[in-house]
Amino acid sequence: MPQLDSGGGGAGGGDDLGAPDELLAFQDEGEEQDDKSRDSAAGPERDLAELKSSLVNESEGAAGGAGVPGAGTGARGEAEALGREHASQRLFPDKLPESLEDGLKAPECASGMYKDTVYSAFNLLMHYPPPSGAGQHPQPQPPLHNKASQPAHSVPQLSPLYEHFSSPHPTPAPGDISQKQVHRPLQTSDLSGFYSLTSGSMGQLPHTVSWFTHPSLMLGSGVPGHPAAIPHPAIVPPSGKQELQPYDRSLKTQAESKVEKEAKKPTIKKPLNAFMLYMKEMRAKVIAECTLKESAAINQILGRRWHALSREEQAKYYELARKERQLHMQLYPGWSARDNYGKKKRRSREKHQESNTGGKRNAFGTYPEKAAAPAPFLPMTVL
DNA sequence: AACCCTTTGAAGGGG
DNA sequence: CCCCTTCAAAGGGTT
């Protein structure tokens, strides 16, 4: 795939918001908006249907997730249409832990509390200068549907963290290695500025934070013996721990050491997409406000909130993700997402195969949604 | 210990 | 080109 093209590819017209899929998401959102108004009358019935689906999922086994065929985009739209305070109650209707339920019972856990942080991120994004080609820097087009639930006048309360990073001369937090890095490795004002931003706006984004100070940007990641070599967060030893053993001093045969070397070869992680960045930023907030800990439930909430975001708000995360991909490509030119295939063994793979034969469901339900997604509309950033 | 769950998006491969 | 699969984060729960 033309990553550079889809990823923007620098200062040209290719510096768009991202892949068409992202735009599709916007379209999807718009559709949901339409559905919202359209379905308002049929809400209760659909609610019941969805509840049934959820219950069916539960009865179909522990593997039953949100991935009910036919409960794809429409279902998400319904969730929006039915009001997020109701939607929260449909999460895990049967098996919710009490703490989970308590959390979800709080209306704000499913409503627009995300807004302030999103706007914080937005403020920070705006705080930092755009790339050198500033004039051409694509600004997200205004959303076709301005979410009524997100009045533009709503002023976010910047958390101290955000204020800290927003300040012109942020004081390094104690123990913050990334802030202790002496100089910013990136030559391009684009990325350095961006990742400065990222480290600020995404205060909870260690991944991104250390990206921008990553020594690999100076000499290559994790170079053994390099004085400033700090492992890139995207580089994870197979053990999952940052315990790089650059040299094998043991008396092993070459073959053995070779095998071991392969085994210990650090894994370069995929760059985070827009939603992942959003989740990383918002997770702590949701946990705090909803007293939730289970990531599955949190992610469901975040998924709904993601869809409730305006285009502009989502565009910020698409932009961040695009920059992540750009930087990732710069750091690891030959890397392919395929490199990590098979590194996670998934039992669900077998389940999925079974479900295919049985015609039940997808492992996660993502694809039915995509399959049911409305036809893409004209890209809003390109053209 | 490893995987599951759950979300969306990106990417790659097969048909 | 479309569809499917896998992985990215996260952490409690499950095997």
Side-chain angles (χ1 to χ4, degrees), chain A residues 17 23-31 140-147 150 306-318 377-380:
Chain A
L17 274 176
L23 303 165
L24 179 62
F26 287 145
Q27 162 74 354
D28 196 16
E29 187 188 349
E31 289 290 314
Q141 294 186 358
L144 293 182
H145 309 277
N146 237 337
K147 306 282 178 177
Q150 298 164 40
W306 174 253
H307 282 282
L309 290 181
S310 72
R311 290 185 171 201
E312 287 165 338
E313 289 163 330
Q314 284 189 345
K316 286 149 211 143
Y317 292 95
Y318 284 125
F377 72 131
L378 283 179
M380 69 172 193

Side-chain angles (χ1 to χ4, degrees), chain A residues 4 19 36-37 73 98 122 129 146 187 198 233 311 330 347:
Chain A
L4 276 173
K36 187 182 293 186
S37 50
T73 307
E98 274 126 54
F122 174 59
N146 237 337
Q187 294 93 351
T198 309
R311 290 185 171 201
Q330 288 181 11
R347 299 174 202 157

Side-chain angles (χ1 to χ4, degrees), chain A residues 71-145:
Chain A
T73 307
R76 289 209 309 268
E78 290 160 18
E80 300 295 324
L82 292 166
R84 288 175 281 282
E85 62 275 357
H86 295 305
S88 68
Q89 298 171 357
R90 291 195 299 276
L91 292 174
F92 307 132
D94 286 339
K95 62 178 179 182
L96 272 179
E98 274 126 54
S99 63
L100 202 59
E101 265 186 330
D102 289 347
L104 288 175
K105 277 173 185 170
E108 64 271 20
C109 289
S111 59
M113 74 174 183
Y114 57 85
K115 192 160 58 58
D116 54 352
T117 48
V118 167
Y119 272 90
S120 300
F122 174 59
N123 284 348
L124 283 152
L125 191 65
M126 295 299 105
H127 181 78
Y128 285 84
S132 45
Q136 284 74 35
H137 197 65
Q139 292 298 326
Q141 294 186 358
L144 293 182
H145 309 277

Side-chain angles (χ1 to χ4, degrees), chain A residues 44-357:
Chain A
E45 295 162 10
R46 284 173 167 268
D47 191 12
L48 187 60
E50 190 180 357
L51 182 58
K52 282 181 185 172
S53 299
S54 302
L55 292 172
V56 167
N57 290 344
E58 292 297 321
S59 65
E60 281 181 352
V68 183
T73 307
R76 289 209 309 268
E78 290 160 18
E80 300 295 324
L82 292 166
R84 288 175 281 282
E85 62 275 357
H86 295 305
S88 68
Q89 298 171 357
R90 291 195 299 276
L91 292 174
F92 307 132
D94 286 339
K95 62 178 179 182
L96 272 179
E98 274 126 54
S99 63
L100 202 59
E101 265 186 330
D102 289 347
L104 288 175
K105 277 173 185 170
E108 64 271 20
C109 289
S111 59
M113 74 174 183
Y114 57 85
K115 192 160 58 58
D116 54 352
T117 48
V118 167
Y119 272 90
S120 300
F122 174 59
N123 284 348
L124 283 152
L125 191 65
M126 295 299 105
H127 181 78
Y128 285 84
S132 45
Q136 284 74 35
H137 197 65
Q139 292 298 326
Q141 294 186 358
L144 293 182
H145 309 277
N146 237 337
K147 306 282 178 177
S149 61
Q150 298 164 40
H153 62 269
S154 177
V155 180
Q157 278 191 327
L158 290 181
S159 71
L161 181 63
Y162 290 153
E163 289 179 306
H164 161 77
F165 281 106
S166 300
S167 95
H169 306 289
T171 321
D176 187 346
I177 296 175
S178 67
Q179 295 292 332
K180 288 177 182 172
Q181 290 297 313
V182 176
H183 70 279
R184 307 287 161 85
L186 286 174
Q187 294 93 351
T188 63
S189 61
D190 179 351
L191 289 177
S192 64
F194 168 75
Y195 281 102
S196 304
L197 154 69
T198 309
S199 67
S201 68
M202 304 291 167
Q204 299 147 355
L205 290 179
H207 170 82
T208 314
V209 167
S210 26
W211 268 65
F212 106 88
T213 50
H214 190 254
S216 68
L217 291 175
M218 311 174 204
L219 276 181
S221 66
V223 179
H226 189 273
I230 298 175
H232 192 291
I235 302 178
V236 177
S239 64
K241 298 171 184 174
Q242 301 278 355
E243 45 176 35
L244 295 176
Q245 294 261 343
Y247 304 112
D248 185 3
R249 298 190 181 88
S250 65
L251 299 173
K252 289 171 184 166
T253 68
Q254 277 194 347
E256 279 176 337
S257 61
K258 195 173 183 178
V259 169
E260 196 161 293
K261 210 173 178 180
E262 288 253 338
K264 288 190 176 181
K265 207 159 115 186
T267 300
I268 299 172
K269 298 274 197 170
K270 288 177 71 173
L272 302 188
N273 63 38
F275 179 69
M276 288 294 149
L277 291 170
Y278 172 74
M279 281 211 309
K280 251 193 156 175
E281 187 191 7
M282 300 300 293
R283 172 177 301 277
K285 198 134 193 139
V286 173
I287 290 173
E289 296 186 22
C290 300
T291 63
L292 289 176
K293 284 187 178 178
E294 290 186 18
S295 290
I298 293 165
N299 292 347
Q300 282 192 339
I301 293 172
L302 288 170
R304 286 202 310 274
R305 292 185 182 183
W306 174 253
H307 282 282
L309 290 181
S310 72
R311 290 185 171 201
E312 287 165 338
E313 289 163 330
Q314 284 189 345
K316 286 149 211 143
Y317 292 95
Y318 284 125
E319 181 83 357
L320 287 171
R322 185 178 60 77
K323 303 256 184 184
E324 281 262 356
R325 289 197 301 273
Q326 280 185 342
L327 182 54
H328 196 278
M329 278 190 295
Q330 288 181 11
L331 291 175
Y332 320 108
W335 181 87
S336 163
R338 205 74 182 176
D339 296 349
N340 294 350
Y341 271 33
K343 295 197 174 184
K344 280 184 182 177
K345 286 182 183 176
R346 313 191 69 140
R347 299 174 202 157
S348 61
R349 209 183 302 174
E350 300 168 8
K351 288 181 184 175
H352 184 216
Q353 285 173 353
E354 290 173 11
S355 69
N356 274 347
T357 57

